[in-house]
Amino acid sequence: MKRIAIDMPVVGECLVAECAYNTGNCCRARAITVGDGIHPGCDTFLDATPHSRARQGQAGVGACKVAACQYNDDYECMTDQIAVGHADNGVSCLTYRQRAAP
Ligand code: SF4
Ligand code: SF4
């Protein structure tokens, strides 16, 4: 497997225990994608049996499509870390903050 090293925000905590990528309130995906353009949902959420192989390390935020968030620049998340959990009847980025009107 080829490997790349890239700076990105980390998923510091995820409280979605039913997601296949979650162990111990930590996201074990390599990276997640957030948002559908309006809602800051976790696009990578997978309601399935957990990963069969334990992986160490924290996930990064590979991309975020929520331009209305104050931490978003050019469809990328620019904060240091985010938290993910249940919100608005779904699985969302809890760090989302609505950008102030110009
Ligand atoms: S951040 Fe998303 S993909 Fe990762 S464990 Fe939480 S819900 Fe699953
Ligand atoms: S903090 Fe904002 S920009 Fe970063 S992932 Fe969450 S919604 Fe996207």
Side-chain angles (χ1 to χ4, degrees):
M1 179 193 310
K2 290 185 178 175
R3 294 191 177 275
I4 59 170
I6 187 168
D7 291 337
M8 60 178 129
V10 297
V11 181
E13 180 181 55
C14 177
L15 304 175
V16 185
E18 68 271 28
C19 177
Y21 292 106
N22 192 301
T23 54
N25 290 343
C26 229
C27 179
R28 307 297 185 181
R30 291 192 177 102
I32 67 167
T33 298
V34 174
D36 61 3
I38 301 172
H39 305 104
C42 178
D43 254 11
T44 310
F45 168 68
L46 178 63
D47 189 357
T49 51
H51 262 178
S52 55
R53 278 167 280 129
R55 199 182 81 79
Q56 298 301 310
Q58 290 173 294
V61 182
C64 176
K65 295 174 266 183
V66 188
C69 177
Q70 70 182 41
Y71 299 116
N72 194 292
D73 181 29
D74 201 20
Y75 303 109
E76 305 288 355
C77 180
M78 303 304 287
T79 192
D80 288 337
Q81 69 173 18
I82 70 164
V84 177
H86 296 98
D88 300 328
N89 298 320
V91 172
S92 292
C93 173
L94 303 179
T95 310
Y96 167 80
R97 294 291 178 275
Q98 176 79 37
R99 192 184 295 279

